[in-house]
Amino acid sequence: MSDSTFELLPRETVLHIRDTCLCLAAQRAARRLARRFDKVLRPFGLTNGQFSLMVALNQPDPPPLGRLAAFLGMEPSTLTAAVKPLARRGLLLVEPDPADRRSRRLRITADGVALMREAAEVWREAHAALEAELPAGTATALRRDLAAL
């Protein structure tokens, strides 16, 4: 079958998927939110994903990379790639796990905490502005509903 002779999906199928697909709706919303928060965090040299990663590291015991990847909903290899630029900037350290030398743990540095103190304040303002744009109760319901997935 040549490219000019194949039959497209029926229009009603395409519209049905567009209008009902939870995955598509979540992806579109996630991309919009990501762009919004990437812009807010750009002055700190962070993406929204890096910001979330750094927040997750703000704990006394450095988490194993695998557990952190699961928490963030990422593949370990994707997390490893995301860690490299932050480690180069001295915002986090990659350390061997004392219990399993094959495994790695991630630790936020003093410079990382200092940057996060500044970035968190700007994030707080941007997040409050976003929630103010939504109808009352929407943000709370959205967090609850997304957690159910």
Side-chain angles (χ1 to χ4, degrees), residues 8-73:
L8 294 172
L9 287 172
R11 181 77 176 143
E12 58 274 7
T13 300
V14 172
L15 295 177
H16 176 73
I17 292 169
R18 181 198 68 187
D19 296 341
T20 62
C21 181
L22 293 173
C23 188
L24 175 60
Q27 288 171 333
R28 292 177 69 199
R31 288 181 186 117
R32 285 189 205 109
L33 286 169
R35 282 192 299 271
R36 183 177 184 140
F37 283 95
D38 282 346
K39 183 178 178 181
V40 166
L41 296 166
R42 190 170 296 126
F44 303 97
L46 295 172
T47 65
N48 74 86
Q50 291 170 327
F51 178 82
S52 296
L53 167 58
M54 296 291 288
V55 168
L57 292 179
N58 195 61
Q59 53 183 296
D61 296 319
L65 196 135
R67 190 175 78 210
L68 185 61
F71 171 77
L72 294 171

Side-chain angles (χ1 to χ4, degrees), residues 19-127:
D19 296 341
T20 62
C21 181
L22 293 173
C23 188
L24 175 60
Q27 288 171 333
R28 292 177 69 199
R31 288 181 186 117
R32 285 189 205 109
L33 286 169
R35 282 192 299 271
R36 183 177 184 140
F37 283 95
D38 282 346
K39 183 178 178 181
V40 166
L41 296 166
R42 190 170 296 126
F44 303 97
L46 295 172
T47 65
N48 74 86
Q50 291 170 327
F51 178 82
S52 296
L53 167 58
M54 296 291 288
V55 168
L57 292 179
N58 195 61
Q59 53 183 296
D61 296 319
L65 196 135
R67 190 175 78 210
L68 185 61
F71 171 77
L72 294 171
M74 301 172 78
E75 293 296 322
S77 60
T78 304
L79 178 57
T80 298
V83 160
K84 289 177 182 179
L86 298 171
R88 279 194 299 269
R89 289 178 61 191
L91 301 175
L92 60 81
L93 297 172
V94 181
E95 303 173 332
D97 186 329
D100 179 0
R101 305 298 280 176
R102 298 168 298 163
S103 184
R104 299 284 175 248
R105 289 184 177 259
L106 303 177
R107 180 186 305 274
I108 194 167
T109 65
D111 287 346
V113 172
L115 181 67
M116 291 305 292
R117 285 185 199 282
E118 295 177 45
E121 188 55 40
V122 172
W123 173 89
R124 203 176 278 113
E125 293 168 6
H127 203 274

